[in-house]
Amino acid sequence: MRTDLHLWLIPILPLVGAAINGLLGRRFSQRLVAAVGLLFVGASCAYAWWVFARFLALAPANVPYVEEFATWIRAGSFTAGYGAYLDQLSMVMVLVVTTVGFLIHIYSVGYMVEEGGYYRFFSYLNLFMFFMLTLVLANNYLLMFIGWEGVGLASYLLIGFFFLRDAAASAGKKAFIVNRIGDFGFLIALFLLIKHFGTLSFDRVFPAVSRLPAETAGAGLLTAIGLLLLMGACGKSAQVPLYVWLPDAMEGPTPVSALIHAATMVTAGVYMVARSNPIFDRAPTAMLAVAIIGCLTAFFAATIGMAQNDIKRVLAYSTISQLGYMFLACGVAAYSAGIFHLMTHAFFKGLLFLAAGSVIHALGGEQDMRRMGGLRRHIPWTFWTMTAATFAICGIPLFSGFFSKDEILWRAFSSPYGSWIFWAAGVLTALLTSFYMFRLWFLTFFGEHRGAEGNAATQAGASVPHGHHHIHESPRVMLVPLVILAVLSVIGGYVGIPEVLGGHNAFEKFLGPVFEAYAPEAAVAGHASAAVAEHGTELALTGLSVLAAFAGLFFAWLLYVRRRDLPDKIATALGDLYTAVANKYYVDEGYDTALVQPLVKGSTNILWRGIDAGGIDATANDSADSAQHVSDALRRMQSGNVRSYAGWIAAGAAVVLAYMIWLGVRR
């Protein structure tokens, strides 16, 4: 047992904060609630960075660093312990979760100050941090699953925080139920691992898997496990077809959107696939499925984002699309590129949501971009920080998203598992991403303010601001996290500058041992050949992706600055196609018709009316009715009349005598 670093402190500290605020916060002032919430998460973040410094000093032979704290399940030869598994991958995840999470906690102090349930909110946020850190530090799949389910619970609580609103309550239930569908696949995968390997510990499963050959001839055990793990990842990371919960999750407070649905929770599926790389490397069919789903999700969600008018929903579909990029990277065995984009995405997408929250705060609750405009003069700090995030997500050169997105596109083209089709779909998605993000940027900050125009927007169902509201910048407690995340959105990608652009791709080299330790020799050779591919080809492809980013900027400027009459004309010309995209291809309605309503009607007619009411309740009620009838008959015998009682005694005696005589005759 090795406990030199005491890794258990990293997740336990937020749990202590959650317990204090949850149990005692009702009696605390807002200032004390915020202090407790920030203190324990901040301490966890500071300790994580101290652990990182110690981790860098570890000898390669001591990585992964494992701490076993207790054995909490023992069934025959199977055991499952509570322990921590620290390698380069989990170290990156811990730093991202604690750092971005702490900044969002700081932002929440100002954003939630006028909302009820202040102590509940910080208790839930701290609880989420505990489960997410448990997930990424777990040393076995079962403990990972506990964290996996825990973040689902915390997400349900946070999405439905405004539980008196039907939309928020329904969104929380939707997220919980859809995630259970994916979790079923994850759980079956764990059963298969136990059945065939007798353990769920990473340091025993991965060596055992590495001794198995790649299933190139067809589907087998590892393919089945990989596909089931992918099913779980699709639920948690909102991939097709289980993505439908995430847009509705925007009903939660904006800090929730930033923390759970941009920076941390939804990346859990990407982390799980990357962590399971020894399995996927030997299951090409499962890996191809990961790439296809990621590619399809990235493009599909990007098209929907182009036609949304709610600023948070645009960002929600953007999150789904960017997660598709990460899955595409993992599907072509470019795990480092996927995690690289996960990190930069946490910076710029967390910033985009927080900046959107600052815009909403400035406008008194308005979220419809058609009722914004001209805000750069009123909220300059929000404008410039959101500009940095917008440029980053669109892949503008020198911003963080440029390096990580370009790395994914290059690997999708050059990897042995890649294809020019994946690359082309990725570039097209980059074009759409640039268009809808600059559309958001122009509609929100440029032109004249349109808040007083209530005609067309209101008729289309847009939200109306709550009375007259003076546009104002957010307080410092909200702006400081924006500035820090803006800096990270600009420079965060410099740790992964590729060699073709004069860098050393330090981030990929840092993660290399994780993905090379159990990789098949063919995969290692393929990665090496891709790394030394002709730089001219890589530069040409990089140029095309940059061209796509600037093309999206140009078309957004043309439609929403230069020729503002064109969008309505294009929408009219496209007709039903535009209507379908604006209505998210009616996927929710299709699910409701094909799945939800039949289940509701079936449970009503069969389970309730047939089995419950017609069977169980009917049996109980009929028994009660029979007992009542018998008791009524017996009650009437108790008349209180002495002559009646004497008659009944005589009749009873006659029956007894007759019975005795009958017995005597038979003898």
Side-chain angles (χ1 to χ4, degrees), residues 87 131 143 149 153 212 234 236 252 320 340 349 364 390 439 467 480 489 502 505 569 583 586-587 608 616:
D87 61 359
F131 282 122
L143 187 57
E149 293 297 293
L153 169 63
L212 298 177
C234 284
K236 195 66 70 183
I320 298 171
F340 186 25
K349 184 54 67 64
T390 302
R439 170 179 177 264
V480 169
S489 296
N505 211 335
K569 293 180 179 179
N583 287 279
Y586 302 103
V587 172
W608 175 44
I616 300 173

Side-chain angles (χ1 to χ4, degrees), residues 465-490:
H466 308 294
H468 177 73
H469 184 85
H470 174 66
I471 301 174
H472 62 285
E473 186 64 276
S474 298
R476 289 183 181 178
V477 72
M478 294 170 61
L479 293 179
V480 169
L482 296 186
V483 173
I484 296 174
L485 287 172
V487 173
L488 292 173
S489 296
V490 175

Side-chain angles (χ1 to χ4, degrees), residues 290-305:
V290 174
I292 292 174
I293 286 178
C295 191
L296 178 62
T297 302
F299 177 75
F300 180 77
T303 61
I304 298 177

Side-chain angles (χ1 to χ4, degrees), residues 25 61 95 160 271 302 321 376 443 450 511 558 598:
L95 294 178
Y271 168 76
S321 182
R376 72 184 189 280
L443 285 175
R450 302 177 296 277
L511 289 178
L558 179 65

Side-chain angles (χ1 to χ4, degrees), residues 262-273:
T264 52
M265 173 188 156
V266 291
T267 60
V270 180
Y271 168 76
M272 185 259 280
V273 172

Side-chain angles (χ1 to χ4, degrees), residues 309 366 368-372 450-451 453-464:
N309 294 308
E366 181 59 72
D368 194 309
M369 297 184 299
R370 294 169 296 183
R371 299 177 62 84
M372 298 181 185
R450 302 177 296 277
E453 300 173 7
N455 42 28
T458 303
Q459 292 170 8
S463 59
V464 181

